[in-house]
Amino acid sequence: MNNNALISVEDALQRIRASLTPIRGFERVSLRDGWGRTLAEAVTSPINVPGYVNSAMDGYAVAAQSLQADTPLTVIGQAMAGVPFEGRVAAGQAVRIMTGAMVPEGADTVIMQEMTQREGDTLTIQGSHAAGENVRQIGEDIMADAVVLQAGKVLQATELGLLASLGIPEVTVSRRVRVATFSTGDELCSIGQTLGPGQIYDSNRYALYGLLRALDVEHLDMGIIRDDRDAVREAFRSAAEVADVVITSGGVSVGDADYVKQTLEELGQVDFWKIRMKPGKPLAFGRLGDAIFFGLPGNPVSSMATFYQIVQPSLRHLQGQQGTTHWHLQARTTSKLKKSPGRADYQRGIMSITENGELQVASTGHQGSHILSSMSRANCFIVLPAEGGDVEAGEWVTIQPFGLL
Protein backbone atom coordinates (compact mmCIF):
# COMPACT_ATOMS: atom_id res chain seq x y z
CA MET A 1 0.00 0.00 0.00
CA ASN A 2 1.36 3.42 -0.97
CA ASN A 3 1.61 5.41 2.25
CA ASN A 4 2.49 8.54 0.28
CA ALA A 5 -0.97 8.69 -1.30
CA LEU A 6 -3.30 11.52 -0.34
CA ILE A 7 -6.33 9.84 1.26
CA SER A 8 -9.72 11.19 2.35
CA VAL A 9 -10.73 11.81 5.94
CA GLU A 10 -13.26 8.97 5.70
CA ASP A 11 -10.65 6.54 4.36
CA ALA A 12 -8.20 7.60 7.07
CA LEU A 13 -10.74 6.93 9.82
CA GLN A 14 -11.64 3.54 8.34
CA ARG A 15 -8.01 2.50 8.08
CA ILE A 16 -7.26 3.64 11.60
CA ARG A 17 -10.28 1.91 13.09
CA ALA A 18 -9.48 -1.32 11.26
CA SER A 19 -6.03 -1.31 12.89
CA LEU A 20 -7.18 -0.54 16.43
CA THR A 21 -8.14 -3.00 19.14
CA PRO A 22 -9.75 -1.51 22.25
CA ILE A 23 -7.38 -1.62 25.20
CA ARG A 24 -7.64 -4.32 27.84
CA GLY A 25 -7.60 -3.84 31.56
CA PHE A 26 -10.07 -2.42 34.05
CA GLU A 27 -10.34 -1.18 37.61
CA ARG A 28 -12.97 -0.70 40.29
CA VAL A 29 -13.50 2.88 41.37
CA SER A 30 -15.92 4.67 43.66
CA LEU A 31 -18.99 6.17 42.04
CA ARG A 32 -17.66 9.71 42.38
CA ASP A 33 -14.32 8.72 40.86
CA GLY A 34 -16.20 7.13 37.96
CA TRP A 35 -17.12 10.54 36.48
CA GLY A 36 -15.73 10.81 32.94
CA ARG A 37 -14.60 7.20 32.93
CA THR A 38 -15.63 4.49 30.46
CA LEU A 39 -17.66 1.53 31.70
CA ALA A 40 -15.82 -1.75 31.16
CA GLU A 41 -18.91 -3.90 31.70
CA ALA A 42 -22.65 -3.55 31.61
CA VAL A 43 -24.44 -2.53 34.81
CA THR A 44 -27.62 -4.31 35.88
CA SER A 45 -30.03 -3.02 38.47
CA PRO A 46 -30.10 -4.78 41.84
CA ILE A 47 -33.52 -3.32 42.67
CA ASN A 48 -36.79 -2.16 41.20
CA VAL A 49 -37.18 1.57 40.65
CA PRO A 50 -39.49 2.65 42.10
CA GLY A 51 -39.34 -0.06 44.76
CA TYR A 52 -42.90 0.55 45.92
CA VAL A 53 -46.16 1.93 44.49
CA ASN A 54 -46.10 5.69 45.03
CA SER A 55 -47.87 8.90 44.14
CA ALA A 56 -46.93 11.05 41.15
CA MET A 57 -48.87 14.03 42.54
CA ASP A 58 -49.84 15.86 45.69
CA GLY A 59 -53.46 14.89 46.24
CA TYR A 60 -55.62 12.11 47.69
CA ALA A 61 -55.23 8.34 47.47
CA VAL A 62 -58.51 6.51 46.95
CA ALA A 63 -59.85 3.17 45.81
CA ALA A 64 -61.12 3.03 42.22
CA GLN A 65 -64.70 2.26 43.35
CA SER A 66 -64.79 5.70 45.01
CA LEU A 67 -64.33 7.57 41.71
CA GLN A 68 -67.83 8.94 41.41
CA ALA A 69 -68.00 12.70 40.94
CA ASP A 70 -69.58 14.70 43.75
CA THR A 71 -69.68 11.70 46.10
CA PRO A 72 -68.24 12.78 49.46
CA LEU A 73 -65.35 10.76 50.91
CA THR A 74 -63.92 10.71 54.40
CA VAL A 75 -60.27 11.66 54.84
CA ILE A 76 -58.77 9.20 57.34
CA GLY A 77 -55.12 10.25 57.44
CA GLN A 78 -52.09 11.27 55.42
CA ALA A 79 -49.10 9.68 53.69
CA MET A 80 -45.85 11.63 53.42
CA ALA A 81 -42.68 10.80 51.49
CA GLY A 82 -40.81 8.46 53.84
CA VAL A 83 -43.70 8.31 56.32
CA PRO A 84 -46.37 5.89 54.98
CA PHE A 85 -49.99 5.72 56.11
CA GLU A 86 -50.21 2.49 58.07
CA GLY A 87 -53.89 1.72 57.69
CA ARG A 88 -56.05 0.48 54.84
CA VAL A 89 -58.21 2.61 52.54
CA ALA A 90 -61.74 1.32 52.02
CA ALA A 91 -64.45 2.46 49.62
CA GLY A 92 -65.66 5.91 50.59
CA GLN A 93 -62.35 6.83 52.22
CA ALA A 94 -59.34 8.89 51.15
CA VAL A 95 -55.82 9.59 52.40
CA ARG A 96 -54.02 12.89 51.89
CA ILE A 97 -50.83 11.98 50.01
CA MET A 98 -47.69 13.81 48.90
CA THR A 99 -45.63 13.24 45.73
CA GLY A 100 -43.38 10.20 46.14
CA ALA A 101 -45.24 8.85 49.16
CA MET A 102 -46.22 5.18 49.29
CA VAL A 103 -49.79 4.58 48.11
CA PRO A 104 -51.68 3.02 51.07
CA GLU A 105 -53.07 -0.49 51.01
CA GLY A 106 -56.52 -0.56 49.41
CA ALA A 107 -55.91 2.54 47.32
CA ASP A 108 -54.97 2.38 43.63
CA THR A 109 -55.60 5.92 42.36
CA VAL A 110 -54.41 9.40 43.27
CA ILE A 111 -56.58 12.44 42.54
CA MET A 112 -54.55 15.64 42.26
CA GLN A 113 -55.58 18.16 44.88
CA GLU A 114 -56.66 20.72 42.25
CA MET A 115 -59.48 18.32 41.30
CA THR A 116 -60.90 18.11 44.81
CA GLN A 117 -62.72 20.18 47.40
CA ARG A 118 -62.26 19.56 51.11
CA GLU A 119 -64.10 20.77 54.14
CA GLY A 120 -62.74 19.36 57.36
CA ASP A 121 -62.44 15.59 56.82
CA THR A 122 -64.99 15.55 53.98
CA LEU A 123 -63.59 15.35 50.45
CA THR A 124 -65.42 15.76 47.13
CA ILE A 125 -63.82 14.67 43.85
CA GLN A 126 -64.53 16.87 40.85
CA GLY A 127 -64.70 15.62 37.26
CA SER A 128 -64.16 12.11 35.91
CA HIS A 129 -61.07 10.04 36.58
CA ALA A 130 -59.59 6.68 35.58
CA ALA A 131 -58.43 3.92 37.88
CA GLY A 132 -54.66 4.01 38.40
CA GLU A 133 -54.38 7.72 37.68
CA ASN A 134 -51.22 9.47 39.00
CA VAL A 135 -49.77 6.28 40.46
CA ARG A 136 -46.23 5.04 39.79
CA GLN A 137 -45.96 1.27 39.73
CA ILE A 138 -43.11 -0.90 41.05
CA GLY A 139 -40.30 -1.10 38.47
CA GLU A 140 -42.00 1.44 36.20
CA ASP A 141 -38.62 3.16 35.62
CA ILE A 142 -36.23 0.22 36.04
CA MET A 143 -36.89 -3.46 36.72
CA ALA A 144 -34.56 -5.48 38.92
CA ASP A 145 -31.89 -7.31 36.84
CA ALA A 146 -32.46 -5.03 33.85
CA VAL A 147 -29.37 -3.67 32.06
CA VAL A 148 -29.27 0.06 32.78
CA LEU A 149 -25.91 1.00 31.22
CA GLN A 150 -23.96 -0.78 28.52
CA ALA A 151 -20.19 -1.27 28.43
CA GLY A 152 -18.56 1.64 26.63
CA LYS A 153 -20.79 4.28 28.20
CA VAL A 154 -18.95 7.36 29.43
CA LEU A 155 -20.17 8.20 32.92
CA GLN A 156 -21.44 11.77 33.24
CA ALA A 157 -23.63 13.49 35.84
CA THR A 158 -26.82 11.72 34.71
CA GLU A 159 -25.20 8.29 34.91
CA LEU A 160 -23.79 8.98 38.38
CA GLY A 161 -27.27 9.98 39.55
CA LEU A 162 -28.80 6.91 37.94
CA LEU A 163 -26.32 4.54 39.58
CA ALA A 164 -26.74 6.28 42.93
CA SER A 165 -30.51 5.76 42.67
CA LEU A 166 -29.78 2.03 42.48
CA GLY A 167 -27.53 2.11 45.54
CA ILE A 168 -24.44 1.16 43.52
CA PRO A 169 -21.29 2.48 45.27
CA GLU A 170 -18.61 1.33 42.79
CA VAL A 171 -18.25 0.77 39.05
CA THR A 172 -15.90 -1.22 36.84
CA VAL A 173 -14.22 1.06 34.31
CA SER A 174 -11.67 0.54 31.56
CA ARG A 175 -8.15 1.57 32.39
CA ARG A 176 -7.27 4.86 30.80
CA VAL A 177 -5.48 4.97 27.46
CA ARG A 178 -1.96 6.26 28.11
CA VAL A 179 -1.14 9.06 25.66
CA ALA A 180 2.36 10.55 25.37
CA THR A 181 2.73 13.89 23.57
CA PHE A 182 5.64 16.06 22.56
CA SER A 183 6.23 18.98 20.24
CA THR A 184 9.12 19.11 17.78
CA GLY A 185 11.04 22.06 16.39
CA ASP A 186 13.99 24.31 17.16
CA GLU A 187 11.72 27.33 16.73
CA LEU A 188 9.62 26.38 19.76
CA CYS A 189 10.05 28.07 23.10
CA SER A 190 8.42 27.10 26.40
CA ILE A 191 6.27 29.53 28.36
CA GLY A 192 8.40 31.46 30.82
CA GLN A 193 11.44 31.58 28.54
CA THR A 194 12.54 34.57 26.51
CA LEU A 195 11.91 34.27 22.79
CA GLY A 196 15.03 34.22 20.65
CA PRO A 197 15.28 35.30 17.02
CA GLY A 198 12.85 33.30 14.89
CA GLN A 199 11.27 31.55 17.88
CA ILE A 200 7.62 31.18 18.88
CA TYR A 201 5.90 29.94 22.00
CA ASP A 202 4.70 26.33 21.86
CA SER A 203 0.90 26.67 21.78
CA ASN A 204 0.26 23.12 20.58
CA ARG A 205 1.53 21.64 23.82
CA TYR A 206 -1.17 23.44 25.78
CA ALA A 207 -3.93 23.00 23.23
CA LEU A 208 -3.32 19.25 23.19
CA TYR A 209 -3.30 19.22 26.98
CA GLY A 210 -6.77 20.79 26.97
CA LEU A 211 -8.09 18.50 24.25
CA LEU A 212 -6.81 15.37 26.01
CA ARG A 213 -8.06 16.47 29.41
CA ALA A 214 -11.61 16.35 28.07
CA LEU A 215 -11.13 12.63 27.27
CA ASP A 216 -10.79 9.52 29.41
CA VAL A 217 -7.01 9.25 28.97
CA GLU A 218 -3.83 9.41 31.03
CA HIS A 219 -1.69 12.17 29.53
CA LEU A 220 2.11 12.09 29.61
CA ASP A 221 3.55 15.45 28.52
CA MET A 222 7.11 14.90 27.26
CA GLY A 223 7.79 18.53 26.40
CA ILE A 224 9.67 19.86 23.36
CA ILE A 225 12.05 17.77 21.25
CA ARG A 226 14.63 19.62 19.18
CA ASP A 227 15.19 19.05 15.47
CA ASP A 228 17.90 16.51 16.02
CA ARG A 229 17.71 12.98 14.62
CA ASP A 230 19.10 11.33 17.76
CA ALA A 231 16.86 13.36 20.07
CA VAL A 232 13.75 12.47 18.06
CA ARG A 233 14.75 8.80 17.95
CA GLU A 234 15.28 8.66 21.72
CA ALA A 235 12.00 10.45 22.38
CA PHE A 236 10.15 7.97 20.15
CA ARG A 237 11.67 4.99 21.93
CA SER A 238 10.97 6.24 25.44
CA ALA A 239 7.41 7.29 24.57
CA ALA A 240 6.58 3.94 22.96
CA GLU A 241 7.78 2.12 26.09
CA VAL A 242 5.28 3.84 28.39
CA ALA A 243 2.30 4.81 26.22
CA ASP A 244 -0.47 3.19 24.20
CA VAL A 245 -0.56 6.21 21.88
CA VAL A 246 2.19 8.65 20.91
CA ILE A 247 1.17 12.04 19.50
CA THR A 248 3.62 14.59 18.11
CA SER A 249 2.99 18.01 16.65
CA GLY A 250 5.29 19.35 13.95
CA GLY A 251 7.98 17.64 11.92
CA VAL A 252 5.72 15.72 9.52
CA SER A 253 6.19 17.85 6.40
CA VAL A 254 8.95 17.46 3.83
CA GLY A 255 11.61 19.81 5.21
CA ASP A 256 15.21 18.67 5.61
CA ALA A 257 14.96 18.99 9.41
CA ASP A 258 11.61 17.18 9.75
CA TYR A 259 12.72 13.90 11.27
CA VAL A 260 9.40 12.54 12.56
CA LYS A 261 8.43 10.57 9.47
CA GLN A 262 11.99 9.37 8.92
CA THR A 263 12.29 8.13 12.48
CA LEU A 264 8.87 6.51 12.39
CA GLU A 265 9.85 4.57 9.27
CA GLU A 266 13.07 3.52 10.98
CA LEU A 267 11.61 2.41 14.33
CA GLY A 268 8.06 1.50 13.34
CA GLN A 269 5.80 1.68 10.34
CA VAL A 270 3.90 4.39 8.50
CA ASP A 271 0.37 3.70 7.29
CA PHE A 272 -0.19 7.13 5.75
CA TRP A 273 1.13 10.65 6.17
CA LYS A 274 -0.96 12.82 3.86
CA ILE A 275 -4.68 13.43 4.16
CA ARG A 276 -7.12 15.20 1.84
CA MET A 277 -8.04 17.74 4.47
CA LYS A 278 -7.62 21.48 4.96
CA PRO A 279 -6.19 22.51 7.32
CA GLY A 280 -4.09 19.46 8.14
CA LYS A 281 -2.72 17.83 5.00
CA PRO A 282 0.52 16.52 6.62
CA LEU A 283 -0.90 14.00 9.11
CA ALA A 284 1.10 10.85 9.86
CA PHE A 285 -0.40 7.65 11.23
CA GLY A 286 1.35 4.40 11.99
CA ARG A 287 2.82 2.23 14.72
CA LEU A 288 5.78 2.69 16.97
CA GLY A 289 6.43 -0.73 18.46
CA ASP A 290 3.21 -1.63 20.28
CA ALA A 291 2.07 1.99 20.40
CA ILE A 292 -0.22 3.80 17.96
CA PHE A 293 1.34 6.91 16.46
CA PHE A 294 -0.22 10.17 15.29
CA GLY A 295 1.99 12.89 13.85
CA LEU A 296 0.03 16.13 13.77
CA PRO A 297 0.94 19.22 11.73
CA GLY A 298 2.84 22.01 13.44
CA ASN A 299 0.48 24.86 12.51
CA PRO A 300 -1.80 25.29 15.53
CA VAL A 301 -5.16 25.26 13.76
CA SER A 302 -4.10 22.27 11.66
CA SER A 303 -3.03 20.46 14.82
CA MET A 304 -6.37 21.07 16.54
CA ALA A 305 -8.47 20.31 13.46
CA THR A 306 -6.74 16.98 12.80
CA PHE A 307 -7.01 16.08 16.47
CA TYR A 308 -10.77 16.70 16.45
CA GLN A 309 -11.41 14.90 13.16
CA ILE A 310 -8.95 11.99 13.36
CA VAL A 311 -7.32 11.52 16.75
CA GLN A 312 -10.25 12.11 19.09
CA PRO A 313 -12.63 9.53 17.57
CA SER A 314 -9.71 7.08 17.37
CA LEU A 315 -8.90 7.50 21.06
CA ARG A 316 -12.55 7.01 21.97
CA HIS A 317 -12.68 3.84 19.89
CA LEU A 318 -9.46 2.63 21.51
CA GLN A 319 -11.03 3.28 24.92
CA GLY A 320 -14.01 1.13 23.89
CA GLN A 321 -16.53 3.97 24.07
CA GLN A 322 -19.93 4.07 22.43
CA GLY A 323 -20.74 6.65 19.74
CA THR A 324 -17.33 7.67 18.44
CA THR A 325 -18.56 9.45 15.30
CA HIS A 326 -19.18 13.20 15.06
CA TRP A 327 -22.53 14.95 14.91
CA HIS A 328 -23.31 16.92 11.75
CA LEU A 329 -25.97 19.62 11.55
CA GLN A 330 -27.23 21.79 8.72
CA ALA A 331 -27.04 25.58 8.88
CA ARG A 332 -27.49 28.43 6.45
CA THR A 333 -24.30 30.39 5.90
CA THR A 334 -24.44 34.16 6.16
CA SER A 335 -20.97 34.51 4.64
CA LYS A 336 -19.54 33.68 1.26
CA LEU A 337 -17.09 30.83 1.81
CA LYS A 338 -14.07 30.58 -0.45
CA LYS A 339 -12.85 27.08 -1.31
CA SER A 340 -10.86 25.31 -4.00
CA PRO A 341 -11.83 21.74 -5.00
CA GLY A 342 -9.53 18.95 -3.90
CA ARG A 343 -9.59 18.70 -0.12
CA ALA A 344 -12.32 18.60 2.51
CA ASP A 345 -12.23 21.99 4.20
CA TYR A 346 -12.88 22.48 7.92
CA GLN A 347 -13.41 26.20 8.19
CA ARG A 348 -13.99 27.94 11.49
CA GLY A 349 -17.48 29.29 11.97
CA ILE A 350 -19.74 31.02 14.46
CA MET A 351 -23.15 29.38 14.59
CA SER A 352 -26.24 31.02 16.02
CA ILE A 353 -30.02 30.62 15.97
CA THR A 354 -32.31 33.06 14.21
CA GLU A 355 -35.56 34.39 15.68
CA ASN A 356 -37.31 31.72 13.60
CA GLY A 357 -35.28 28.95 15.23
CA GLU A 358 -33.12 28.32 12.14
CA LEU A 359 -29.42 27.51 12.50
CA GLN A 360 -27.12 29.94 10.74
CA VAL A 361 -23.36 30.20 10.59
CA ALA A 362 -20.88 32.94 9.78
CA SER A 363 -17.22 32.61 8.90
CA THR A 364 -14.66 33.78 11.45
CA GLY A 365 -12.80 35.45 8.58
CA HIS A 366 -9.29 34.59 7.41
CA GLN A 367 -8.90 30.80 7.49
CA GLY A 368 -5.11 30.49 7.59
CA SER A 369 -3.84 27.50 9.57
CA HIS A 370 -1.70 29.81 11.70
CA ILE A 371 -4.65 31.97 12.83
CA LEU A 372 -5.21 30.33 16.23
CA SER A 373 -7.47 33.17 17.36
CA SER A 374 -10.03 31.96 14.81
CA MET A 375 -10.46 28.77 16.86
CA SER A 376 -11.17 30.86 19.96
CA ARG A 377 -13.77 32.99 18.16
CA ALA A 378 -15.40 29.96 16.53
CA ASN A 379 -17.90 27.55 18.07
CA CYS A 380 -18.08 25.11 15.15
CA PHE A 381 -16.40 23.76 12.06
CA ILE A 382 -18.01 24.45 8.68
CA VAL A 383 -17.42 21.22 6.77
CA LEU A 384 -17.10 21.74 3.01
CA PRO A 385 -16.82 18.57 0.86
CA ALA A 386 -13.59 17.83 -0.99
CA GLU A 387 -14.82 18.35 -4.53
CA GLY A 388 -16.92 21.42 -3.78
CA GLY A 389 -16.00 25.00 -4.58
CA ASP A 390 -17.06 28.39 -3.29
CA VAL A 391 -20.28 28.60 -1.29
CA GLU A 392 -22.51 31.64 -1.64
CA ALA A 393 -24.14 33.36 1.32
CA GLY A 394 -27.61 31.91 1.94
CA GLU A 395 -26.70 28.33 1.00
CA TRP A 396 -26.99 25.40 3.39
CA VAL A 397 -23.79 23.91 4.75
CA THR A 398 -22.80 21.14 7.16
CA ILE A 399 -21.46 22.19 10.55
CA GLN A 400 -19.90 20.40 13.53
CA PRO A 401 -20.55 22.27 16.80
CA PHE A 402 -17.46 22.10 19.01
CA GLY A 403 -19.67 21.12 21.94
CA LEU A 404 -20.72 17.94 20.11
CA LEU A 405 -17.24 16.86 19.02
Side-chain angles (χ1 to χ4, degrees):
M1 184 176 294
N2 179 14
N3 60 32
N4 290 329
L6 196 66
I7 66 173
S8 69
V9 172
E10 294 75 20
D11 287 344
L13 287 170
Q14 289 178 5
R15 284 165 65 163
I16 292 170
R17 177 164 292 202
S19 70
L20 297 183
T21 301
I23 61 168
R24 298 178 180 178
F26 58 87
E27 58 181 322
R28 292 284 291 178
V29 298
S30 69
L31 186 56
R32 287 181 185 270
D33 289 338
W35 184 89
R37 303 295 300 273
T38 306
L39 276 180
E41 60 185 22
V43 177
T44 58
S45 176
I47 60 174
N48 291 309
V49 180
Y52 53 89
V53 179
N54 70 89
S55 176
M57 292 283 183
D58 291 345
Y60 293 87
V62 301
Q65 56 263 46
S66 301
L67 295 177
Q68 294 183 6
D70 302 322
T71 299
L73 307 177
T74 301
V75 179
I76 60 173
Q78 68 177 9
M80 308 292 288
V83 185
F85 176 76
E86 296 182 354
R88 179 181 179 83
V89 178
Q93 296 179 332
V95 167
R96 177 80 168 113
I97 193 167
M98 299 295 112
T99 302
M102 181 180 292
V103 174
E105 184 180 356
D108 57 9
T109 304
V110 172
I111 307 302
M112 60 189 300
Q113 62 186 31
E114 291 85 351
M115 299 299 294
T116 64
Q117 283 189 342
R118 179 177 176 178
E119 294 184 7
D121 290 336
T122 300
L123 181 77
T124 302
I125 298 174
Q126 299 175 331
S128 60
H129 302 274
E133 190 173 288
N134 300 318
V135 171
R136 301 165 178 160
Q137 300 298 326
I138 293 174
E140 185 177 304
D141 183 9
I142 300 170
M143 296 292 292
D145 299 323
V147 175
V148 291
L149 295 174
Q150 295 286 354
K153 182 72 172 179
V154 178
L155 300 178
Q156 302 292 341
T158 300
E159 288 72 37
L160 296 191
L162 174 61
L163 295 173
S165 76
L166 304 177
I168 295 175
E170 294 183 331
V171 287
T172 302
V173 295
S174 301
R175 75 162 178 86
R176 287 189 167 103
V177 174
R178 289 185 290 270
V179 180
T181 63
F182 53 85
S183 303
T184 66
D186 288 338
E187 76 280 10
L188 299 179
C189 187
S190 295
I191 293 175
Q193 298 178 341
T194 301
L195 290 175
Q199 287 193 312
I200 59 173
Y201 286 118
D202 182 10
S203 61
N204 288 348
R205 182 178 181 184
Y206 292 88
L208 284 175
Y209 165 80
L211 291 167
L212 289 167
R213 186 168 181 176
L215 304 177
D216 185 14
V217 302
E218 178 184 346
H219 181 202
L220 310 171
D221 184 352
M222 302 184 68
I224 298 173
I225 309 300
R226 297 302 169 195
D227 285 328
D228 176 84
R229 186 185 299 277
D230 292 337
V232 173
R233 185 186 295 111
E234 180 56 32
F236 272 36
R237 284 175 175 163
S238 59
E241 288 176 357
V242 297
D244 303 298
V245 178
V246 178
I247 302 175
T248 66
S249 66
V252 291
S253 60
V254 294
D256 291 339
D258 292 333
Y259 297 120
V260 170
K261 180 173 179 287
Q262 299 174 28
T263 307
L264 181 62
E265 290 174 331
E266 176 186 341
L267 300 181
Q269 63 186 56
V270 181
D271 190 312
F272 61 81
W273 68 286
K274 292 180 181 179
I275 191 167
R276 194 176 293 119
M277 173 179 170
K278 182 181 180 181
K281 177 181 176 182
L283 172 76
F285 169 74
R287 285 193 174 270
L288 194 60
D290 293 330
I292 301 298
F293 177 84
F294 293 97
L296 306 185
N299 278 324
V301 176
S302 299
S303 179
M304 293 190 72
T306 51
F307 183 94
Y308 272 128
Q309 301 304 324
I310 303 295
V311 180
Q312 181 174 280
S314 301
L315 290 176
R316 286 177 169 163
H317 178 72
L318 195 60
Q319 190 68 63
Q321 293 179 7
Q322 305 170 1
T324 58
T325 55
H326 293 323
W327 285 73
H328 293 80
L329 303 177
Q330 296 297 304
R332 195 184 298 275
T333 178
T334 62
S335 309
K336 179 176 181 177
L337 306 174
K338 294 183 178 181
K339 181 187 179 300
S340 299
R343 287 189 283 165
D345 202 343
Y346 293 81
Q347 299 193 11
R348 278 72 72 203
I350 304 170
M351 74 171 183
S352 58
I353 301 177
T354 68
E355 293 181 355
N356 296 327
E358 184 178 90
L359 274 178
Q360 64 181 16
V361 65
S363 172
T364 58
H366 184 34
Q367 295 292 311
S369 59
H370 62 295
I371 307 295
L372 185 55
S373 60
S374 67
M375 286 295 291
S376 180
R377 292 195 302 273
N379 59 10
C380 68
F381 284 119
I382 305 171
V383 185
L384 304 179
E387 300 311 319
D390 292 347
V391 177
E392 298 297 328
E395 293 187 34
W396 288 93
V397 292
T398 297
I399 63 171
Q400 293 176 338
F402 289 165
L404 297 179
L405 288 172

